[in-house]
């Protein structure tokens, strides 16, 4: 069974600085998808960025980028120029690309604090 | 566009009571999911559905039931509420996509306390 591990329960970053959130996963599959979700205090989960395992190029979305290391099974999220609105819980998620598989597996989350 | 709508947002139940958490999506998504999120934890899948009339168990289905009579609605039923079911419940939906790269869209959650 696949697992997703986020080893940093909490991280802090100074406003305008850069922070990296870690995520590792375990799978025997070769094709899958990885996601980072943000959960602000309002509770609604919002997609931040996604990565297809077959793509070598790291995904980027404005100030958010990932460092995808397939061999190491690592999927870290880098937030550049951190803003106060980035403060939230961040969840890493895995989904198999196997046909007929519909389940997402979530990590336990990292709480990001942004200091003014 | 409302997206995924969950009701109620908060609820307190007594042990042994029953209730239904409502979830509706207006994006015509085939896939729908119910998760629970315990304090300091990630999301655990309770049930999911890949289309009207089709449901399947997730990681933690005990004590819950679901139905999917329409594409839009995916209610979650607690028959005999227990303190262990105190949690925040999230409903989500997604399109099948190409190989599953479509993200999930989440509702705002229902905070449920069992006393």
């Amino acid at each position: 069974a696949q697992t997703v591990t986020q080893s940093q329960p909490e991280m802090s970053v100074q406003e305008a600085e850069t922070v990296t959130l870690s995520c590792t996963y375990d799978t025997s599959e070769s094709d899958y998808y990885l996601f980072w979700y943000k959960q602000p205090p309002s509770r609604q989960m919002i997609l931040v960025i996604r990565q297809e395992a077959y793509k070598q190029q790291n995904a980027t979305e404005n100030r958010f980028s990932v460092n995808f290391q397939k061999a190491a099974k690592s999927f870290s999220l880098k937030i550049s120029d951190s803003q106060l609105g980035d403060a939230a819980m961040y969840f890493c998620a895995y989904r198999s690309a196997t046909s007929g598989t519909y389940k997402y597996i979530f990590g336990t989350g990292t709480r990001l604090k942004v200091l003014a | 566009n409302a997206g995924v709508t969950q009701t109620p947002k908060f609820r307190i139940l007594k042990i042994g009571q029953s209730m239904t958490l409502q979830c509706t999506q207006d994006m015509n998504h085939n896939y729908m999911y119910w998760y629970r999120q315990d304090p300091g934890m990630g999301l655990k899948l309770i049930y999911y559905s890949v289309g009207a009339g089709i449901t399947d168990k997730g990681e933690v289905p005990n004590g819950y039931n679901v139905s999917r009579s329409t594409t839009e609605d995916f209610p979650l039923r607690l028959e005999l509420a227990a303190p262990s079911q105190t949690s925040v419940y999230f409903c989500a939906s997604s399109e099948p996509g190409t190989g599953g790269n479509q993200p999930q869209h989440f509702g705002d959650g229902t905070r449920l306390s069992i006393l």
Side-chain angles (χ1 to χ4, degrees), chain A residues 89-113:
Chain A
M89 282 289 288
Y90 286 81
F91 292 94
C92 179
Y94 170 103
R95 176 179 168 161
S96 169
T98 301
S99 177
T101 301
Y102 312 104
K103 301 177 185 178
Y104 293 73
I105 299 169
F106 287 82
T108 53
T110 296
R111 182 175 302 280
L112 179 65
K113 294 184 176 180

mmCIF file of all heavy atoms in Angstrom, chain A residues 89-113:
data_model
loop_
_atom_site.group_PDB
_atom_site.id
_atom_site.type_symbol
_atom_site.label_atom_id
_atom_site.label_comp_id
_atom_site.label_asym_id
_atom_site.label_seq_id
_atom_site.Cartn_x
_atom_site.Cartn_y
_atom_site.Cartn_z
ATOM 1 N N MET A 89 -2.304 25.093 6.584
ATOM 2 C CA MET A 89 -1.826 23.712 6.591
ATOM 3 C C MET A 89 -1.616 23.294 5.149
ATOM 4 O O MET A 89 -2.455 23.573 4.285
ATOM 5 C CB MET A 89 -2.866 22.793 7.245
ATOM 6 C CG MET A 89 -2.887 22.858 8.743
ATOM 7 S SD MET A 89 -1.452 22.097 9.500
ATOM 8 C CE MET A 89 -1.793 20.351 9.201
ATOM 9 N N TYR A 90 -0.515 22.596 4.898
ATOM 10 C CA TYR A 90 -0.228 22.119 3.554
ATOM 11 C C TYR A 90 -0.183 20.584 3.580
ATOM 12 O O TYR A 90 0.517 19.989 4.403
ATOM 13 C CB TYR A 90 1.095 22.681 3.046
ATOM 14 C CG TYR A 90 0.987 24.136 2.664
ATOM 15 C CD1 TYR A 90 1.056 25.129 3.644
ATOM 16 C CD2 TYR A 90 0.786 24.518 1.343
ATOM 17 C CE1 TYR A 90 0.925 26.474 3.303
ATOM 18 C CE2 TYR A 90 0.654 25.853 0.993
ATOM 19 C CZ TYR A 90 0.717 26.817 1.989
ATOM 20 O OH TYR A 90 0.585 28.153 1.654
ATOM 21 N N PHE A 91 -0.933 20.002 2.671
ATOM 22 C CA PHE A 91 -1.009 18.555 2.586
ATOM 23 C C PHE A 91 -0.447 18.071 1.256
ATOM 24 O O PHE A 91 -0.777 18.605 0.198
ATOM 25 C CB PHE A 91 -2.450 18.064 2.716
ATOM 26 C CG PHE A 91 -3.037 18.270 4.070
ATOM 27 C CD1 PHE A 91 -3.784 19.395 4.361
ATOM 28 C CD2 PHE A 91 -2.843 17.332 5.072
ATOM 29 C CE1 PHE A 91 -4.331 19.586 5.620
ATOM 30 C CE2 PHE A 91 -3.387 17.512 6.332
ATOM 31 C CZ PHE A 91 -4.129 18.640 6.612
ATOM 32 N N CYS A 92 0.359 17.043 1.337
ATOM 33 C CA CYS A 92 0.861 16.358 0.169
ATOM 34 C C CYS A 92 -0.064 15.162 -0.097
ATOM 35 O O CYS A 92 -0.521 14.517 0.854
ATOM 36 C CB CYS A 92 2.287 15.891 0.463
ATOM 37 S SG CYS A 92 3.107 14.983 -0.840
ATOM 38 N N ALA A 93 -0.359 14.888 -1.346
ATOM 39 C CA ALA A 93 -1.267 13.792 -1.669
ATOM 40 C C ALA A 93 -0.755 12.997 -2.864
ATOM 41 O O ALA A 93 -0.119 13.551 -3.771
ATOM 42 C CB ALA A 93 -2.668 14.314 -1.944
ATOM 43 N N TYR A 94 -1.078 11.723 -2.853
ATOM 44 C CA TYR A 94 -0.654 10.780 -3.894
ATOM 45 C C TYR A 94 -1.885 10.140 -4.499
ATOM 46 O O TYR A 94 -2.836 9.821 -3.801
ATOM 47 C CB TYR A 94 0.224 9.708 -3.257
ATOM 48 C CG TYR A 94 0.561 8.515 -4.141
ATOM 49 C CD1 TYR A 94 1.808 8.404 -4.743
ATOM 50 C CD2 TYR A 94 -0.364 7.492 -4.349
ATOM 51 C CE1 TYR A 94 2.130 7.314 -5.531
ATOM 52 C CE2 TYR A 94 -0.055 6.403 -5.144
ATOM 53 C CZ TYR A 94 1.192 6.315 -5.731
ATOM 54 O OH TYR A 94 1.499 5.233 -6.517
ATOM 55 N N ARG A 95 -1.835 9.949 -5.807
ATOM 56 C CA ARG A 95 -2.892 9.173 -6.459
ATOM 57 C C ARG A 95 -2.263 8.292 -7.529
ATOM 58 O O ARG A 95 -1.470 8.751 -8.331
ATOM 59 C CB ARG A 95 -3.943 10.067 -7.083
ATOM 60 C CG ARG A 95 -4.973 9.232 -7.844
ATOM 61 C CD ARG A 95 -6.060 10.011 -8.483
ATOM 62 N NE ARG A 95 -6.776 9.125 -9.400
ATOM 63 C CZ ARG A 95 -7.995 9.355 -9.863
ATOM 64 N NH1 ARG A 95 -8.634 10.432 -9.499
ATOM 65 N NH2 ARG A 95 -8.561 8.509 -10.699
ATOM 66 N N SER A 96 -2.647 7.034 -7.498
ATOM 67 C CA SER A 96 -2.159 6.095 -8.498
ATOM 68 C C SER A 96 -2.708 6.437 -9.870
ATOM 69 O O SER A 96 -3.820 6.966 -9.993
ATOM 70 C CB SER A 96 -2.580 4.679 -8.115
ATOM 71 O OG SER A 96 -2.343 3.783 -9.179
ATOM 72 N N ALA A 97 -1.948 6.146 -10.899
ATOM 73 C CA ALA A 97 -2.427 6.338 -12.271
ATOM 74 C C ALA A 97 -3.003 5.046 -12.834
ATOM 75 O O ALA A 97 -3.423 5.006 -13.992
ATOM 76 C CB ALA A 97 -1.298 6.838 -13.157
ATOM 77 N N THR A 98 -3.031 4.008 -12.013
ATOM 78 C CA THR A 98 -3.569 2.730 -12.478
ATOM 79 C C THR A 98 -5.043 2.886 -12.789
ATOM 80 O O THR A 98 -5.797 3.432 -11.987
ATOM 81 C CB THR A 98 -3.382 1.644 -11.400
ATOM 82 O OG1 THR A 98 -1.985 1.521 -11.118
ATOM 83 C CG2 THR A 98 -3.929 0.315 -11.866
ATOM 84 N N SER A 99 -5.458 2.385 -13.940
ATOM 85 C CA SER A 99 -6.844 2.486 -14.342
ATOM 86 C C SER A 99 -7.737 1.818 -13.317
ATOM 87 O O SER A 99 -7.458 0.718 -12.851
ATOM 88 C CB SER A 99 -7.035 1.818 -15.707
ATOM 89 O OG SER A 99 -8.395 1.843 -16.071
ATOM 90 N N GLY A 100 -8.797 2.508 -12.944
ATOM 91 C CA GLY A 100 -9.724 1.970 -11.965
ATOM 92 C C GLY A 100 -9.377 2.339 -10.541
ATOM 93 O O GLY A 100 -10.083 1.951 -9.616
ATOM 94 N N THR A 101 -8.310 3.084 -10.358
ATOM 95 C CA THR A 101 -7.923 3.532 -9.018
ATOM 96 C C THR A 101 -8.386 4.963 -8.839
ATOM 97 O O THR A 101 -8.069 5.824 -9.650
ATOM 98 C CB THR A 101 -6.405 3.458 -8.837
ATOM 99 O OG1 THR A 101 -5.980 2.124 -9.048
ATOM 100 C CG2 THR A 101 -6.010 3.885 -7.434
ATOM 101 N N TYR A 102 -9.138 5.210 -7.770
ATOM 102 C CA TYR A 102 -9.720 6.525 -7.598
ATOM 103 C C TYR A 102 -9.344 7.175 -6.278
ATOM 104 O O TYR A 102 -9.799 8.252 -5.965
ATOM 105 C CB TYR A 102 -11.244 6.413 -7.664
ATOM 106 C CG TYR A 102 -11.693 5.594 -8.849
ATOM 107 C CD1 TYR A 102 -12.135 4.290 -8.686
ATOM 108 C CD2 TYR A 102 -11.662 6.115 -10.134
ATOM 109 C CE1 TYR A 102 -12.535 3.531 -9.775
ATOM 110 C CE2 TYR A 102 -12.065 5.371 -11.225
ATOM 111 C CZ TYR A 102 -12.497 4.071 -11.034
ATOM 112 O OH TYR A 102 -12.901 3.330 -12.100
ATOM 113 N N LYS A 103 -8.502 6.527 -5.511
ATOM 114 C CA LYS A 103 -8.248 7.006 -4.164
ATOM 115 C C LYS A 103 -7.030 7.907 -4.113
ATOM 116 O O LYS A 103 -6.027 7.664 -4.764
ATOM 117 C CB LYS A 103 -8.041 5.826 -3.219
ATOM 118 C CG LYS A 103 -9.213 4.878 -3.149
ATOM 119 C CD LYS A 103 -8.891 3.700 -2.239
ATOM 120 C CE LYS A 103 -10.019 2.697 -2.272
ATOM 121 N NZ LYS A 103 -9.720 1.517 -1.424
ATOM 122 N N TYR A 104 -7.150 8.925 -3.289
ATOM 123 C CA TYR A 104 -6.033 9.803 -2.978
ATOM 124 C C TYR A 104 -5.536 9.452 -1.579
ATOM 125 O O TYR A 104 -6.324 9.177 -0.681
ATOM 126 C CB TYR A 104 -6.469 11.263 -2.989
ATOM 127 C CG TYR A 104 -6.872 11.795 -4.337
ATOM 128 C CD1 TYR A 104 -8.080 11.418 -4.916
ATOM 129 C CD2 TYR A 104 -6.049 12.666 -5.035
ATOM 130 C CE1 TYR A 104 -8.461 11.895 -6.142
ATOM 131 C CE2 TYR A 104 -6.418 13.160 -6.273
ATOM 132 C CZ TYR A 104 -7.629 12.767 -6.829
ATOM 133 O OH TYR A 104 -7.999 13.238 -8.051
ATOM 134 N N ILE A 105 -4.234 9.509 -1.389
ATOM 135 C CA ILE A 105 -3.658 9.260 -0.074
ATOM 136 C C ILE A 105 -2.976 10.541 0.383
ATOM 137 O O ILE A 105 -2.130 11.095 -0.341
ATOM 138 C CB ILE A 105 -2.652 8.103 -0.130
ATOM 139 C CG1 ILE A 105 -3.380 6.831 -0.576
ATOM 140 C CG2 ILE A 105 -2.000 7.887 1.238
ATOM 141 C CD1 ILE A 105 -2.457 5.704 -0.921
ATOM 142 N N PHE A 106 -3.350 11.009 1.566
ATOM 143 C CA PHE A 106 -2.853 12.288 2.081
ATOM 144 C C PHE A 106 -1.832 12.076 3.187
ATOM 145 O O PHE A 106 -1.934 11.132 3.978
ATOM 146 C CB PHE A 106 -4.016 13.120 2.624
ATOM 147 C CG PHE A 106 -4.907 13.698 1.563
ATOM 148 C CD1 PHE A 106 -5.903 12.934 0.984
ATOM 149 C CD2 PHE A 106 -4.742 15.009 1.145
ATOM 150 C CE1 PHE A 106 -6.728 13.467 -0.003
ATOM 151 C CE2 PHE A 106 -5.560 15.555 0.162
ATOM 152 C CZ PHE A 106 -6.548 14.770 -0.407
ATOM 153 N N GLY A 107 -0.873 12.992 3.261
ATOM 154 C CA GLY A 107 0.023 13.047 4.400
ATOM 155 C C GLY A 107 -0.661 13.727 5.575
ATOM 156 O O GLY A 107 -1.816 14.154 5.480
ATOM 157 N N THR A 108 0.044 13.826 6.694
ATOM 158 C CA THR A 108 -0.543 14.396 7.907
ATOM 159 C C THR A 108 -0.486 15.913 7.952
ATOM 160 O O THR A 108 -1.047 16.523 8.850
ATOM 161 C CB THR A 108 0.143 13.834 9.156
ATOM 162 O OG1 THR A 108 1.556 14.021 9.014
ATOM 163 C CG2 THR A 108 -0.149 12.348 9.337
ATOM 164 N N GLY A 109 0.197 16.518 7.011
ATOM 165 C CA GLY A 109 0.172 17.969 6.894
ATOM 166 C C GLY A 109 1.333 18.667 7.581
ATOM 167 O O GLY A 109 1.945 18.145 8.525
ATOM 168 N N THR A 110 1.630 19.853 7.093
ATOM 169 C CA THR A 110 2.622 20.755 7.687
ATOM 170 C C THR A 110 1.961 22.108 7.877
ATOM 171 O O THR A 110 1.422 22.679 6.927
ATOM 172 C CB THR A 110 3.853 20.925 6.777
ATOM 173 O OG1 THR A 110 4.525 19.684 6.633
ATOM 174 C CG2 THR A 110 4.809 21.976 7.361
ATOM 175 N N ARG A 111 2.001 22.594 9.103
ATOM 176 C CA ARG A 111 1.441 23.921 9.360
ATOM 177 C C ARG A 111 2.500 24.964 9.075
ATOM 178 O O ARG A 111 3.575 24.941 9.673
ATOM 179 C CB ARG A 111 0.958 24.038 10.808
ATOM 180 C CG ARG A 111 0.324 25.390 11.118
ATOM 181 C CD ARG A 111 -0.259 25.433 12.524
ATOM 182 N NE ARG A 111 -1.264 24.401 12.725
ATOM 183 C CZ ARG A 111 -2.529 24.474 12.312
ATOM 184 N NH1 ARG A 111 -2.941 25.553 11.658
ATOM 185 N NH2 ARG A 111 -3.350 23.494 12.559
ATOM 186 N N LEU A 112 2.210 25.858 8.171
ATOM 187 C CA LEU A 112 3.142 26.932 7.821
ATOM 188 C C LEU A 112 2.707 28.237 8.470
ATOM 189 O O LEU A 112 1.568 28.684 8.282
ATOM 190 C CB LEU A 112 3.208 27.111 6.301
ATOM 191 C CG LEU A 112 4.135 28.231 5.825
ATOM 192 C CD1 LEU A 112 5.587 27.908 6.173
ATOM 193 C CD2 LEU A 112 3.978 28.470 4.329
ATOM 194 N N LYS A 113 3.634 28.821 9.212
ATOM 195 C CA LYS A 113 3.400 30.142 9.786
ATOM 196 C C LYS A 113 4.257 31.152 9.040
ATOM 197 O O LYS A 113 5.437 30.891 8.776
ATOM 198 C CB LYS A 113 3.775 30.149 11.267
ATOM 199 C CG LYS A 113 2.889 29.258 12.127
ATOM 200 C CD LYS A 113 3.265 29.384 13.595
ATOM 201 C CE LYS A 113 2.317 28.563 14.449
ATOM 202 N NZ LYS A 113 2.659 28.658 15.898
#
